[in-house]
Amino acid sequence: MSHSLYSASVPVLRQLLGSLAAVLEKAEAHAQERRIEPDALLQARLYPDMFPLAKQIQIATDFAKGASARLAGVEPPRYEDGERSFAELQQRISKTLGFIDGLKEADVEAGATRAITHGSGERARHFDDGAHYLTHFALPQFFFHVTTAYAILRHNGVPIGKKDFIGAY
């Protein structure tokens, strides 16, 4: 049994974006209950040279929309990266889910054999086909940033666990 490129990408991105939205809800509730300034969590990081929580979520959504768009052969939408609250980050996740849900399965499938370029200029990365791009670059990047966002919240005492990370499937 083989999996399609669509089933290996869009539903997985959708699942983890949903879990990211759910852990953000728990983080906001945790901050309110404990009278923690929201920015203390939104700007928290695991180590000084790592991005804070808000940026991790921005990058995760960038990889979700970018990967699915490139596979479908369409231009990914551009976001301003100006989110400064839990509500604004939730809107960004919702906007990303809306974009992904609007893509046609056949268009994503067509990306399996299409060459894909990620980025531009000296930092551009070229992949011979979408399958390699998805499995060796886009999904690992996406998972890294979702995992780091989860770890930042867990490290800061938000009561979340493995089931929260995995989400509904």
Side-chain angles (χ1 to χ4, degrees):
M1 177 177 154
S2 66
H3 289 286
S4 70
L5 193 67
Y6 180 87
S7 67
S9 60
V10 173
V12 175
L13 297 169
R14 197 181 293 130
Q15 176 181 332
L16 271 289
L17 287 172
S19 71
L20 190 56
V23 298
L24 275 182
E25 283 179 23
K26 289 187 175 192
E28 185 173 22
H30 177 77
Q32 289 173 350
E33 290 167 10
R34 302 254 195 266
R35 291 187 170 89
I36 298 170
E37 185 65 36
D39 215 39
L41 292 179
L42 294 170
Q43 293 307 311
R45 49 183 89 218
L46 292 177
Y47 196 76
D49 69 350
M50 294 180 76
F51 289 126
L53 175 66
K55 186 69 173 175
Q56 298 292 344
I57 294 166
Q58 290 167 345
I59 296 171
T61 55
D62 285 346
F63 269 99
K65 67 184 171 68
S68 56
R70 287 181 192 89
L71 292 173
V74 300
E75 190 68 28
R78 296 193 181 274
Y79 299 164
E80 291 298 317
D81 293 345
E83 296 84 9
R84 302 288 178 249
S85 69
F86 286 110
E88 290 172 343
L89 289 168
Q90 291 286 11
Q91 289 172 346
R92 184 182 179 110
I93 293 169
S94 292
K95 195 168 36 171
T96 303
L97 285 166
F99 172 75
I100 290 170
D101 287 341
L103 297 173
K104 295 179 180 153
E105 185 172 341
D107 292 342
V108 174
E109 288 297 334
T113 56
R114 183 183 326 108
I116 292 186
T117 299
H118 179 98
S120 61
E122 292 178 12
R123 297 185 66 158
R125 294 177 186 242
H126 306 284
F127 300 88
D128 292 335
D129 59 75
H132 188 81
Y133 162 72
L134 177 69
T135 58
H136 294 273
F137 182 73
L139 283 179
Q141 293 279 352
F142 174 73
F143 285 131
F144 175 85
H145 293 287
V146 172
T147 302
T148 302
Y150 167 89
I152 289 169
L153 293 173
R154 186 72 181 104
H155 176 74
N156 281 277
V158 177
I160 52 177
K162 185 177 181 181
K163 287 182 183 179
D164 296 298
F165 175 83
I166 293 172
Y169 53 93

